């Protein structure tokens, strides 16, 4: 069966396409939970090792710890997760949201990330179809989920995710998938450069850091994927959503206004919406401005 035959089958039976997208999204969501949990720990271990080397100390030999090893287990009792305990969403429900070993409550983040990945995967495929545009959009969507949750938990946007996807966006532009090469290169440069200027102006005026350099790289990523034309709308939408969300957290959730609110999730939401409906958003904005 050729690729064209598979695409034809999906066109004749759309439910197959969406069911496959949901199933794939659930499986990828399970892996994203591993990335969300382990990548910050891996980075911290690497930073400590680098600090020891700079201090002239002999680095302490550490056990292997990456996205594959060691096998996942309960952080409380060490119970190793079996295959049946690792079925996306279903295992969480069957276990009642608790560890099979010590009955410690499992964070609802795990099924929520899996469900979000499944829902957005089906949404992306319904928008782009089963071609290169759909596949690349899926990859970016999954990366944004991981980046957003890591930023919420650790106020960190890892370069290990952001930079490879920035380069992937530039490579996709060669095929004209989401942007042209010129627009993508300008988008990456202007995305980083514009927030770099804003960062230093804000710091000069207030003496504080208004955002992290991870936000600059994430904005450059969207410029690489969607072209420089999308940047004004993305920053406007993300700032609006961030301001409203921050105000709501302070007024209704009692959040301390002195605590920083990660900007990465708002930037990710705005960038993803532009990936999906950039043209429609721009048209709606221009029509609103005429009123």
């Amino acid at each position: 069966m050729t690729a064209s035959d598979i695409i034809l089958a999906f066109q004749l039976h759309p439910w197959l396409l969406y069911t496959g997208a949901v199933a794939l999204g659930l499986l990828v969501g399970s892996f994203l939970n591993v990335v969300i949990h382990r990548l910050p720990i891996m980075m911290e271990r690497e930073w400590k090792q680098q600090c020891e080397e700079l201090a002239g100390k002999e680095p302490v030999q550490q056990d292997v710890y990456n996205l594959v090893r060691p096998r996942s287990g309960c952080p409380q009792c060490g119970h190793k997760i079996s295959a049946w305990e690792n079925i996306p969403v279903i295992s969480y429900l069957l276990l009642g949201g608790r560890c099979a070993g010590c009955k410690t409550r499992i964070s609802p983040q795990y099924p929520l990330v899996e469900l979000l990945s499944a829902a957005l995967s089906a949404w992306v495929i319904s928008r782009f179809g089963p071609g290169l545009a759909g596949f690349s959009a899926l990859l970016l969507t999954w990366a944004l989920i991981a980046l957003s949750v890591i930023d919420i938990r650790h106020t960190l946007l890892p370069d290990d995710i952001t930079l490879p996807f920035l380069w992937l966006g530039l490579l996709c532009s060669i095929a004209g998938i989401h942007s042209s090469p010129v627009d993508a290169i300008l988008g990456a440069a202007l995305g980083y450069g514009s927030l770099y200027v804003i960062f230093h102006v804000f710091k000069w005026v207030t003496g504080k850091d208004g955002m992290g350099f991870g936000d600059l790289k994430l904005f450059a990523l969207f410029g690489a994927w969607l072209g420089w034309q999308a940047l004004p709308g993305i920053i406007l939408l993300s700032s609006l959503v961030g301001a409203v969300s921050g105000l709501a957290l302070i007024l209704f959730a009692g959040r301390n206004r002195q605590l920083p609110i990660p900007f990465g999730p708002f930037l990710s939401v705005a960038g993803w919406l532009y990936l999906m409906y950039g043209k429609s958003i721009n048209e709606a904005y221009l029509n609103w401005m005429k009123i």
Side-chain angles (χ1 to χ4, degrees), residues 73-279:
C74 174
Q76 295 295 325
C77 68
H79 169 74
K80 298 302 180 182
I81 299 175
S82 62
W84 79 268
E85 294 170 335
N86 205 28
I87 303 172
V89 180
I90 295 176
S91 292
Y92 183 87
L93 296 175
L94 292 177
L95 291 168
R98 295 183 180 276
C99 169
C102 64
K103 306 304 178 183
T104 298
R105 183 170 296 278
I106 302 171
S107 170
Q109 169 202 301
Y110 293 93
L112 289 176
V113 167
E114 292 163 355
L115 289 171
L116 180 62
S117 176
L120 295 187
S121 296
W123 196 346
V124 165
I125 290 300
S126 70
R127 172 71 177 84
F128 293 105
L132 285 176
F135 180 67
S136 61
L138 278 177
L139 293 177
L140 180 58
T141 298
W142 297 331
L144 293 177
I145 293 173
L147 285 170
S148 297
V149 180
I150 290 174
D151 202 22
I152 291 171
R153 293 185 58 180
H154 303 282
T155 61
L156 177 70
L157 292 170
D159 287 349
D160 288 351
I161 300 176
T162 307
L163 295 184
F165 273 86
L166 190 157
W167 286 108
L168 181 59
L170 293 175
L171 290 174
C172 286
S173 72
I174 297 175
I177 297 176
H178 299 285
S179 180
S180 70
V182 173
D183 290 342
I185 293 171
L186 286 174
L190 292 175
Y192 188 90
S194 59
L195 287 193
Y196 183 84
V197 172
I198 293 174
F199 171 87
H200 284 284
V201 170
F202 183 86
K203 187 171 184 178
W204 177 69
V205 173
T206 65
K208 300 178 180 179
D209 292 338
M211 63 184 73
F213 281 94
D215 298 316
L216 279 63
K217 297 167 190 174
L218 181 57
F219 198 41
L221 179 155
F222 286 124
W225 277 79
L226 306 176
W228 64 269
Q229 299 91 337
L231 296 178
I234 291 174
I235 197 64
L236 178 63
L237 181 59
S238 60
S239 299
L240 178 62
V241 174
V244 173
S245 301
L247 185 61
L249 287 172
I250 293 172
L251 293 179
F252 302 110
R255 183 184 177 90
N256 187 339
R257 66 182 62 195
Q258 300 299 324
L259 294 176
I261 298 177
F263 189 53
F266 305 120
L267 202 55
S268 295
V269 169
W272 187 81
L273 289 174
Y274 260 81
L275 170 71
M276 299 287 287
Y277 305 109
K279 185 176 180 181

Side-chain angles (χ1 to χ4, degrees), residues 6-19:
I6 296 175
I7 293 176
L8 179 60
F10 284 147
Q11 291 174 342
L12 293 175
H13 306 286
W15 65 270
L16 286 173
L17 179 62
Y18 299 136
T19 301

